[in-house]
Amino acid sequence: MRSNSIIFWILAVFFALMAATYSVWSWIYYGGHIEWVGTVALTLSAILGVFLAFFLGRTAKGYGQLLPEDRLDANIDDADPEIGHFSPWSWWPFFLGGAVAVMALGLAVGFWVAFIGVPLLLVALAGWVFEYYRGNFAR
């Protein structure tokens, strides 16, 4: 985790240097005018690198020890926590994705199509949430 923090600090410094270089270069090229789109994009990339480096550094410090990913003698199974229960046979995520696609199509083509997508979305979401409350898999 600490190595990830160092990588993002290096990226942040790189993007800050490139933002300064880009600003000076565009000021010289355009004769006293700065091209703001690239300058702002590179500056915001540097700021994002600082945010990520700070976050990863603080979380690594909070653990107080090396993570299994950072140890050279670690096995693959050492960093394999229980994530949760997933249904490999469930069709509800497919229907949910289709309903979201219909709603996105409604935003792109015509807003009236989104009114068709909303009930589909609600039915698919309810089906996915309550999948284990009825049928063969009731608990």
Side-chain angles (χ1 to χ4, degrees):
M1 187 74 93
R2 192 169 272 309
S3 62
N4 293 340
S5 174
I6 293 169
I7 290 171
F8 279 108
W9 280 117
I10 292 170
L11 277 175
V13 169
F14 171 76
F15 279 122
L17 289 174
M18 288 301 107
T21 304
Y22 187 82
S23 299
V24 170
W25 193 316
S26 68
W27 185 73
I28 292 170
Y29 183 78
Y30 292 117
H33 297 290
I34 295 177
E35 198 277 319
W36 286 105
V37 175
T39 303
V40 170
L42 288 169
T43 304
L44 289 176
S45 297
I47 291 171
L48 177 66
V50 169
F51 283 161
L52 290 171
F54 178 75
F55 172 75
L56 290 174
R58 292 291 291 189
T59 53
K61 195 179 292 185
Y63 287 127
Q65 60 187 4
L66 284 177
L67 294 176
E69 298 93 43
D70 295 331
R71 290 188 2 234
L72 295 176
D73 62 338
N75 293 326
I76 293 174
D77 294 336
D78 290 342
D80 190 19
E82 179 67 33
I83 295 174
H85 175 72
F86 300 100
S87 303
W89 57 83
S90 179
W91 284 85
W92 289 111
F94 175 74
F95 292 125
L96 190 64
V100 170
V102 169
M103 289 184 59
L105 182 71
L107 293 175
V109 175
F111 195 69
W112 62 273
V113 179
F115 290 120
I116 298 171
V118 169
L120 293 174
L121 179 80
L122 293 175
V123 167
L125 190 62
W128 196 20
V129 168
F130 296 112
E131 178 175 31
Y132 287 105
Y133 286 94
R134 61 184 182 83
N136 294 335
F137 306 110
R139 295 185 189 249

